[in-house]
């Protein structure tokens, strides 16, 4: 099993991937894992996300979260259950309709990562296992800039990539980019790289890069 096999929770523009035809954690998960393995993989990532996001919310003042590339809505639903107000977007029509059908709290919309607009800024903008599938640098940077524009002051942008020193491709489907590449795009926009938390799951290299808006 290699992390090159990771399927995105949403493509930016290219519709529904084959794994999206499945339900639950198998959809958008790791195709080399069975359902039980994907349950573990999702639970581990959710735990890491909650450790990063923390519990800085209350019923009177919840965190506003955008799950950008939500797939069938696993992380959106989980974060909503934890008390956060969640918007969730996906480019796949079938995918977002399936997420909406659950009708369990998050507000879903069909949108590309580079086009979503919101009437309010978010405390957390989350993009799990999506950006490294955008092999075109112009497309990747456009998506990243738009996601950054949605983060409020002191808020966080959390994106998935490997902790690699140089850009590198995997199996023609994934393009890993170093933190320096993200910093080059995000620092002029007022976001600082504050940490990298690897998934720590088997041999998967990817993890969460966390950027905090400082101005």
């Amino acid at each position: 099993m290699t992390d090159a096999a990771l399927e995105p929770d949403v493509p930016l523009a290219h519709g529904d991937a084959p794994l999206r035809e499945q339900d639950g954690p198998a959809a958008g998960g790791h195709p080399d894992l069975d359902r039980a393995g994907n349950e573990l993989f999702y639970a581990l990532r959710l735990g890491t996300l909650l450790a990063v996001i923390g519990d800085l919310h209350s019923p009177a003042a919840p965190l506003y979260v955008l799950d950008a590339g939500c797939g069938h809505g696993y992380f959106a639903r989980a974060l909503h259950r934890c008390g956060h107000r969640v918007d969730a977007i996906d480019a796949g029509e079938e995918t977002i309709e399936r997420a909406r059908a659950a009708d369990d709290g998050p507000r879903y919309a069909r949108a590309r990562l580079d086009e979503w607009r919101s009437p309010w800024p978010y405390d957390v903008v989350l993009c799990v296992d999506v950006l490294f599938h955008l092999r075109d640098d112009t497309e990747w940077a456009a998506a990243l800039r738009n996601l950054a524009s949605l983060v409020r002051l002191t808020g966080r942008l959390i994106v998935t990539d490997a902790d690699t020193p140089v850009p590198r491709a995997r199996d023609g489907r994934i393009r890993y980019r170093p933190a320096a590449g993200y910093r080059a795009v995000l620092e002029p926009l007022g976001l600082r790289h504050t940490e990298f938390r690897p998934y720590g799951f088997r041999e998967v290299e990817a993890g969460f890069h966390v950027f905090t808006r400082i101005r």
Side-chain angles (χ1 to χ4, degrees), residues 39-213:
E39 289 277 5
L40 178 60
F41 188 34
Y42 269 81
L44 184 148
R45 287 183 291 172
L46 176 60
T48 301
L49 276 175
L50 291 174
V52 171
I53 294 171
D55 58 354
L56 301 177
H57 76 283
S58 71
L63 292 180
Y64 282 78
V65 178
L66 173 66
D67 183 357
C70 66
H72 291 165
Y74 175 92
F75 292 111
R77 289 190 296 272
L79 292 172
H80 175 79
R81 290 195 299 270
C82 290
H84 303 303
R85 298 282 180 87
V86 181
D87 289 342
I89 64 171
D90 194 287
E93 182 175 5
E94 180 182 347
T95 301
I96 206 68
E97 288 305 319
R98 203 178 280 193
R100 283 174 176 158
D103 191 25
D104 52 2
R107 301 188 315 163
Y108 296 101
R110 186 185 178 199
R112 291 166 52 100
L113 302 184
D114 61 349
E115 72 179 9
W116 176 249
R117 300 292 184 266
S118 171
W120 48 75
Y122 294 99
D123 299 289
V124 177
V125 174
L126 171 67
C127 190
V128 179
D129 292 351
V130 180
L131 290 174
F132 54 45
H133 284 274
L134 305 183
R135 297 186 294 277
D136 181 83
D137 286 336
T138 300
E139 189 178 27
W140 167 81
L144 188 60
R145 289 191 185 99
N146 189 54
L147 295 180
S149 74
L150 301 168
V151 180
R152 71 163 178 82
L153 186 64
T154 74
R156 282 163 288 184
L157 172 63
I158 303 173
V159 302
T160 292
D161 213 311
D163 188 19
T164 179
V166 296
R168 57 190 175 88
R170 292 288 298 267
D171 293 355
R173 297 190 301 120
I174 286 177
R175 178 171 171 79
Y176 291 133
R177 295 173 175 89
Y182 282 89
R183 288 197 298 268
V185 174
L186 295 174
E187 285 182 354
L189 303 178
L191 284 87
R192 181 178 62 195
H193 188 253
T194 48
E195 67 173 310
F196 173 73
R197 293 207 186 188
Y199 287 164
F201 184 77
R202 301 184 183 179
E203 69 269 29
V204 173
E205 297 178 54
F208 295 118
H209 286 278
V210 183
F211 296 86
T212 302
R213 180 172 290 286

